[in-house]
Amino acid sequence: MPVTYASYLKLDELLSLQQPRPGALEHDETLFVIIHQVYELWFKEVLHELDHLQRLLHANDTALAGHTLKRILTILKTLVAQIDVLETITPLNFLSFRDRLESGSGFQSHQFREIEFVMGKKGRPSFERYPEGSEPRRRVETRFAQPTLWDAFLHYLAANGYQVPKALLTRDVTRALELSPEVQRLLVEVYRKNPTVAQIAERLVDLDEGFMEWRYRHVKMVQRTIGTKAGTGGSAGAEYLLTTINQPAFPDLWAIRSEL
Ligand code: HEM
């Protein structure tokens, strides 16, 4: 059989996957399912590029790291823009099928948690959401134990001649990132004297700001769709989500702004 558009993309399988429960979908449920599936596909691609980016930073390849960051940032803009589409689902339309989600929620997206881990949001993970022995559980546990993007950036700084404290280069990568006055001093020097490395740092700020923007838009969308109701995933809903916004992944890069 010659390769065709449909066979290469496994279109038959892909287009038969919009049937979350038995029976007919509510009209807006089709959009709801497709948009989540599209998000998950983008999350897969973002993880793929974040892995690549970490390898490039370790190899001190500034040009390709910059290119990869630009790609991730462009995808992130799409992820944020898609919320506009989601917001065409009115509160009543959403209510027409909300019960069918039962306890299902984006809260349980293992790829989103993996992205958070790569971005350095470690600390207290809730692995119990994923059944022991399952593939999602294996994936989140593996990611949790891996170095973060910030760790790769610190190695990149070291490779460019900056005296990153050894304790940071060999830190326990399962711990949450903390502010480091030493790293901030190095970053100020980078920004003043090394535009090549500073550009990579600025793209990381773009990335950080982009994820914060997604969280902000998601919580606003949640507020206009379900108000203050609890989430299907068992959290307090918008009240919980508000606790997750405005928390930069790379705090050192924000802290130095007032020093420049
Ligand atoms: C009508 C649409 C949506 C509503 C009403 C909604 C609502 C919520 C709520 C209430 C939560 C808090 C957790 C809980 O369920 O208790 C949550 C979390 C989350 N949602 Fe949505 N959501 C919607 C669409 C989406 C979409 C399209 C995505 C894309 C994948 C998404 C991804 C997430 C993620 C990743 C979390 C976890 C955030 C965190 O813990 O920091 N949501 N959502």
Side-chain angles (χ1 to χ4, degrees):
M1 286 288 277
V3 173
T4 63
Y5 177 76
S7 72
Y8 182 80
L9 295 172
K10 302 211 185 312
L11 267 194
D12 286 350
E13 288 97 314
L14 184 66
L15 298 179
S16 65
L17 295 175
Q18 290 70 44
Q19 199 54 257
R21 307 282 309 254
L25 274 77
E26 285 294 326
H27 180 82
D28 282 16
E29 203 173 357
T30 300
L31 169 61
F32 186 80
V33 170
I34 288 177
I35 204 156
H36 279 84
Q37 290 180 339
V38 168
Y39 265 110
E40 289 295 337
L41 287 174
W42 279 129
F43 289 163
K44 180 173 182 176
E45 170 64 11
V46 166
L47 283 164
H48 180 59
E49 299 297 344
L50 284 171
D51 283 341
H52 188 48
L53 175 60
Q54 281 174 283
R55 284 193 294 271
L56 292 167
L57 288 173
H58 273 283
N60 196 12
D61 190 336
T62 302
L64 271 185
H67 175 72
T68 304
L69 270 162
K70 181 165 187 291
R71 176 175 292 170
I72 299 170
L73 291 166
T74 311
I75 296 169
L76 200 47
K77 287 210 178 303
T78 301
L79 295 186
V80 173
Q82 277 178 194
I83 293 191
D84 290 346
V85 183
L86 204 58
E87 284 181 343
T88 65
I89 301 180
T90 67
L92 284 178
N93 288 341
F94 183 53
L95 275 180
S96 71
F97 61 87
R98 192 180 190 219
D99 282 354
R100 286 154 61 89
L101 311 178
E102 296 188 359
S103 60
S105 163
F107 213 27
Q108 297 150 351
S109 164
H110 67 83
Q111 293 201 106
F112 184 80
R113 297 301 166 205
E114 287 180 66
I115 293 174
E116 283 191 329
F117 289 156
V118 178
M119 293 291 289
K121 195 168 185 252
K122 299 277 180 101
R124 289 177 294 129
S126 353
F127 295 135
E128 324 76 60
R129 270 188 214 129
Y130 310 102
E132 220 163 320
S134 67
E135 179 61 9
R137 176 71 168 256
R138 190 196 62 73
R139 288 187 54 148
V140 284
E141 284 182 348
T142 304
R143 285 271 177 209
F144 182 70
Q146 283 171 353
T148 70
L149 180 54
W150 187 248
D151 295 303
F153 179 66
L154 291 180
H155 280 276
Y156 170 76
L157 282 183
N160 280 278
Y162 295 93
Q163 301 296 313
V164 179
K166 190 146 181 277
L168 286 178
L169 294 175
T170 55
R171 76 181 193 96
D172 174 359
V173 297
T174 63
R175 308 247 339 229
L177 294 170
E178 283 167 18
L179 283 163
S180 161
E182 293 98 324
V183 171
Q184 286 171 33
R185 266 195 297 280
L186 298 177
L187 288 172
V188 169
E189 204 183 317
V190 165
Y191 272 75
R192 291 201 176 128
K193 297 192 186 132
N194 192 337
T196 309
V197 174
Q199 261 199 36
I200 296 289
E202 279 299 273
R203 295 295 77 77
L204 291 179
V205 177
D206 290 341
L207 193 63
D208 203 359
E209 195 175 352
F211 278 114
M212 287 193 277
E213 193 184 348
W214 183 84
R215 284 187 195 275
Y216 174 78
R217 288 294 315 272
H218 174 262
V219 70
K220 285 291 147 196
M221 178 274 297
V222 169
Q223 285 172 325
R224 68 184 274 175
T225 310
I226 60 167
T228 57
K229 289 180 198 164
T232 47
S235 83
E239 190 187 320
Y240 155 71
L241 292 168
L242 284 169
T243 66
T244 67
I245 63 171
N246 235 337
Q247 292 191 9
F250 312 128
D252 285 329
L253 280 175
W254 294 89
I256 58 160
R257 311 281 135 177
S258 36
E259 308 299 321
L260 295 172

